[in-house]
Amino acid sequence: MAIVVEHDKRRREILEKSLDVFATEGYEDVTFQKIADRCGITRTTLYIYFTNKRDIFLGSIKQLLADMELSIREVINNTQITSEEALRKVTMIMLDYCEQNIKMFNVLFVYLHQLSKTGADPNEHVKRRVIRLRHLLSTIIIRGIKNGEFKRQNVHITNELIYSLVEASIFRIAILNTTDISELRETVNFAIDGFLVGNKETN
């Protein structure tokens, strides 16, 4: 059991350090050797944990999303806050991760663009990665409707609206090289205001 735990711990450390390598070097310029050097291990050791560079890259993205999901679940499981507060906190967590990982999203865009050239559908790849996050968003929305905090509305469309704003943040960061998404934060809060029963007035 101790061997398994140690293996998982080393794998996580490799993924965390690999994020920095990909963000700094860009997907195309990263090699197994560069990742091994950053992790302080040999290429042979690296092959024990991962098959190739793509395996590491996708693992790094998955780890990033898993960390974000953990933060989101902590908010959802907090019974001391309202659904409105939970939704605002969760969307801000998503936007925080966008801002904190600007370089990584730049690399991800290049990767997805190259993927589309091979005939693969980048949209399907992204959808598979974020399906759990979108489910968590729906959980809050449904709870808010049941609690009478949110208007009775189409949960899927409401989810799509919020997620589209998060995607807009990623677009501005990865494509337009925007470092300040404060306006999008205000837009998200404005959208949430519209979900509330009584439609709270905004200044």
Side-chain angles (χ1 to χ4, degrees), residues 4 6 17 24-25 31 45-46 52 62 71 82 94 96 116 120 123 129 142 155 166 195:
V4 174
E6 185 62 32
K17 291 179 180 179
T24 303
E25 302 283 343
T31 63
T45 302
L46 189 56
N52 51 43
K62 185 177 180 180
S71 298
T82 65
M94 290 181 173
D96 285 343
S116 67
N123 185 48
R129 302 289 172 184
I142 292 170
V155 174
V166 175
F195 303 157

Side-chain angles (χ1 to χ4, degrees), residues 2-60:
I3 294 176
V4 174
V5 172
E6 185 62 32
H7 180 88
D8 290 344
K9 180 182 177 183
R10 173 60 70 87
R11 192 176 191 279
R12 181 181 176 86
E13 289 174 351
I14 292 172
L15 290 175
E16 289 175 349
K17 291 179 180 179
S18 296
L19 272 175
D20 293 334
V21 181
F22 283 113
T24 303
E25 302 283 343
Y27 182 79
E28 283 300 310
D29 292 331
V30 170
T31 63
F32 238 52
Q33 188 61 57
K34 287 182 179 180
I35 294 173
D37 289 343
R38 179 66 65 90
C39 297
I41 58 179
T42 65
R43 287 179 60 186
T44 303
T45 302
L46 189 56
Y47 274 113
I48 294 174
Y49 298 93
F50 299 98
T51 306
N52 51 43
K53 179 177 74 172
R54 180 175 178 272
D55 189 23
I56 299 176
F57 179 69
L58 294 179
S60 298

Side-chain angles (χ1 to χ4, degrees), residues 2 14 16 30 43-44 54 68-69 114 126-127 138 148 168 177 189 193:
I14 292 172
E16 289 175 349
V30 170
R43 287 179 60 186
T44 303
R54 180 175 178 272
M68 179 165 59
E69 182 182 331
Q114 291 173 341
V126 172
K127 282 170 66 176
S138 291
N177 295 317
N189 280 316
D193 286 343

Side-chain angles (χ1 to χ4, degrees), residues 22-184:
F22 283 113
T24 303
E25 302 283 343
Y27 182 79
E28 283 300 310
D29 292 331
V30 170
T31 63
F32 238 52
Q33 188 61 57
K34 287 182 179 180
I35 294 173
D37 289 343
R38 179 66 65 90
C39 297
I41 58 179
T42 65
R43 287 179 60 186
T44 303
T45 302
L46 189 56
Y47 274 113
I48 294 174
Y49 298 93
F50 299 98
T51 306
N52 51 43
K53 179 177 74 172
R54 180 175 178 272
D55 189 23
I56 299 176
F57 179 69
L58 294 179
S60 298
I61 297 297
K62 185 177 180 180
Q63 186 63 61
L64 180 66
L65 292 175
D67 290 342
M68 179 165 59
E69 182 182 331
L70 185 62
S71 298
I72 289 173
R73 286 189 181 279
E74 287 179 359
V75 173
I76 292 177
N77 293 334
N78 184 351
T79 59
Q80 304 302 310
I81 62 175
T82 65
S83 297
E84 175 193 349
E85 291 172 314
L87 187 57
R88 292 187 194 278
K89 286 178 179 291
V90 164
T91 51
M92 290 307 119
I93 286 173
M94 290 181 173
L95 295 179
D96 285 343
Y97 269 81
C98 291
E99 283 192 316
Q100 292 164 9
N101 296 279
I102 291 175
K103 289 184 178 179
M104 196 61 201
F105 281 112
N106 284 332
V107 176
L108 180 59
F109 170 74
V110 173
Y111 172 80
L112 291 174
H113 182 63
Q114 291 173 341
L115 195 65
S116 67
K117 290 182 178 180
T118 68
D121 183 358
N123 185 48
E124 282 302 313
H125 284 263
V126 172
K127 282 170 66 176
R128 287 203 305 267
R129 302 289 172 184
V130 300
I131 190 169
R132 286 155 61 111
L133 294 175
R134 297 199 64 167
H135 175 73
L136 292 174
L137 271 179
S138 291
T139 298
I140 302 173
I141 296 166
I142 292 170
R143 182 187 299 171
I145 293 173
K146 287 183 177 178
N147 290 344
E149 295 178 59
F150 299 155
K151 300 171 183 176
R152 302 196 71 81
Q153 53 200 318
N154 185 300
V155 174
H156 175 75
I157 292 176
T158 305
N159 185 310
E160 186 66 26
L161 173 59
I162 295 173
Y163 183 73
S164 294
L165 291 172
V166 175
E167 280 190 325
S169 301
I170 295 173
F171 175 82
R172 291 188 183 185
I173 286 170
I175 310 302
L176 304 181
N177 295 317
T178 301
T179 56
D180 181 7
I181 56 172
S182 56
E183 286 187 0
L184 275 168

